[in-house]
Amino acid sequence: KDHCICWQLDRESFNHIVKDAAVKRRERYDNFLKSVTLIASIDGYKRAQIADALVAETFQKGDAIVKQGDPGNKFYIVEEGELYAVQKVGDMEKRVMEYKPASYFGELALMKNQPRAASVIV
């Protein structure tokens, strides 16, 4: 091609839109994090740092978010939906926990540097 089309956005508009979106996202996440028992008592600055670091992951019914025995390298907070944890002992599989919004899991594997103690399923 012998031409190019570019769209432009001035600095003021860009900063207003981007900053506004970032502030709204942080406020939404901060309000949600206040409902998470493990994080609720953390001071606002650190909670804002957590909010900025959060990455949403979407899972479908039947998906295993973590599997028992896998390395624990992520901490999860349930934003929406319901999950359950199952633990396999020998040939038996037992449901050991239910999760709903504001529930969390994975903290023990991170803190203790241990493999996942259970599988968590949507």
Side-chain angles (χ1 to χ4, degrees):
K1 290 200 168 213
D2 58 355
H3 70 281
C4 174
I5 298 173
C6 295
W7 294 4
Q8 64 85 22
L9 191 60
D10 64 87
R11 180 188 320 251
E12 185 178 326
S13 298
F14 177 82
N15 283 334
H16 176 72
I17 293 166
V18 171
K19 286 180 184 174
D20 190 45
V23 167
K24 285 181 181 176
R25 177 187 179 272
R26 180 182 278 177
E27 286 175 357
R28 191 181 102 217
Y29 282 16
D30 186 54
N31 286 332
F32 175 73
L33 290 172
K34 287 176 185 175
S35 70
V36 178
T37 56
L38 182 69
I39 297 170
S41 62
I42 293 175
D43 73 71
Y45 176 74
K46 289 182 181 171
R47 207 172 41 250
Q49 288 181 306
I50 293 170
D52 288 343
L54 291 175
V55 176
E57 293 185 25
T58 303
F59 300 93
Q60 303 302 316
K61 187 169 180 75
D63 287 351
I65 298 173
V66 299
K67 294 181 180 173
Q68 184 174 344
D70 283 355
N73 54 9
K74 290 182 182 178
F75 167 69
Y76 291 90
I77 303 168
V78 181
E79 182 179 14
E80 62 182 59
E82 295 181 355
L83 318 169
Y84 62 92
V86 293
Q87 214 168 32
K88 190 171 185 178
V89 180
D91 292 338
M92 301 279 293
E93 205 171 69
K94 181 180 177 184
R95 194 179 279 218
V96 293
M97 190 71 150
E98 305 282 331
Y99 300 101
K100 59 185 190 312
S103 298
Y104 56 88
F105 59 94
E107 77 286 0
L108 294 177
L110 289 179
M111 292 189 298
K112 296 181 178 185
N113 195 25
Q114 294 177 339
R116 300 289 183 185
S119 297
V120 178
I121 315 292
V122 178

